[in-house]
């Protein structure tokens, strides 16, 4: 059993704790597929293209939404979660390699440049992928414990020989492992072995398991560790899984402070992220989220601070992820933050970006 301190009303509410049984989520299952040590511990991004396709959110040509409704178009950014910068390849990537991130069942990105990797489960034909890569010049090579293909050994990258002529993503297919169910890609060999699993999984790290519990049932998520941990050990953001496209999007933010900093981080986070507080771009958070509730999730020895945001009609569906990427979330959770909200921490790098 785990304890949940639940917020029950609109706007901002802090309440007591109640018992709620824990359950394994698709997010936690995905974390169980990658290694605990290495790039995933620094950055883990997760998405479920298959869930969005089931709701009618699809990309027909790789550029335009096949769903003709405004509702479907609003949710469209979520279908690329877990694919990082590879979504920029659009039509070229599936044509050149046989791998279409939007057609996958599940997408995972781990690590930060240059130590990063991508994993796509389902939605491709292994023979087609291997054949396309070999025609482009990839050679069979042993990558860790896996039989793979690569365009250059080790960390060498021959940009003239790589399959996708799209700036910023050309080297992500330098190393590839293809099985019947999974395609894993990376610029260098080591991250591939991590994204394909290890002796211990990311789900077995107590800190990561705690923030996964906090996020709950999400169809898109990012979990990242600060480059120089101080008061906060992990940040996590997610988009709650909607039952239909008419639902108002709900974002979840989970902050895991180091034990000694829980009171200080809780004070700055819960007072900084309120409907009346001002965001980085000068808007009140109440203009971005019609409801903001704060609570706590206790998992083992860890206390995770959670904010649940019910977004307004005009907010980006991945608002919390944007806050994380541009450093605003880190600022809000920093107990030593300056009074000026424009003085933010360095943004989190996105997998695949240079």
């Amino acid at each position: 059993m785990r304890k949940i301190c639940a917020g029950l009303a609109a706007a901002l509410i802090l309440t007591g704790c109640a018992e709620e049984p824990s359950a394994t989520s698709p997010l936690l299952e995905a974390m169980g597929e990658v290694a605990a040590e290495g790039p995933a511990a620094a950055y883990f991004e997760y998405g479920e293209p298959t869930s969005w396709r089931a709701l009618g959110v699809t990309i027909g040509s790789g550029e335009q939404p096949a769903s003709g409704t405004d509702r479907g178009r609003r949710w469209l950014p979520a279908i690329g979660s877990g694919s990082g910068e590879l979504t920029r390849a659009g039509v070229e990537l599936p044509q050149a390699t046989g791998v279409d991130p939007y057609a996958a069942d599940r997408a995972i990105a781990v690590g930060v440049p240059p130590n990063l990797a991508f994993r796509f489960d389902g939605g491709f034909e292994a023979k087609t992928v291997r054949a396309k890569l070999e025609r482009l010049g990839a050679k069979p090579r042993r990558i860790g414990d896996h039989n793979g293909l690569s365009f250059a050994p080790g960390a060498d990258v021959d940009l003239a020989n790589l399959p996708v002529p799209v700036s910023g993503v050309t080297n992500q297919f330098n190393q590839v492992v293809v099985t019947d169910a999974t395609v894993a890609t990376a610029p260098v060999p080591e991250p591939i072995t991590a994204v394909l699993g290890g002796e211990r999984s990311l789900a077995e790290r107590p800190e990561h398991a705690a923030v996964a519990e906090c996020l709950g049932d999400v169809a898109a998520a990012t979990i990242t560790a600060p480059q120089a941990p101080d008061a906060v050990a992990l940040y996590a953001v997610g988009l709650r899984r909607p039952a239909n496209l008419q639902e108002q999007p709900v974002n979840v933010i989970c902050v895991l402070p180091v034990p000694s900093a829980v009171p200080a981080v809780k004070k700055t986070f819960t007072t900084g992220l309120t409907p009346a507080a001002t965001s980085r771009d000068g808007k009140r958070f109440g203009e971005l989220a019609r409801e903001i509730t704060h609570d706590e999730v206790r998992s083992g020895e860890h206390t995770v601070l959670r904010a649940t945001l019910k977004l307004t009609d005009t907010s980006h569906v991945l608002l919390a992820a944007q806050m994380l990427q541009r450093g605003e979330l880190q600022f809000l959770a920093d107990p030593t933050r300056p009074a000026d909200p424009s003085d933010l921490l360095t943004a989190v790098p996105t997998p695949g970006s240079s």
Side-chain angles (χ1 to χ4, degrees), residues 40-65:
Y43 185 99
F44 178 88
E45 184 180 313
Y46 166 78
E48 299 175 4
T50 187
S51 294
W52 298 110
R53 292 196 304 271
L55 288 170
V57 182
T58 60
I59 296 183
S61 66
E63 295 178 346
Q64 298 296 327

Side-chain angles (χ1 to χ4, degrees), residues 6 16 36 100 111 122 146 204 222 238 242 254 291:
D100 183 354
H146 308 278
E204 294 176 280
T222 300
C254 296
E291 295 179 11

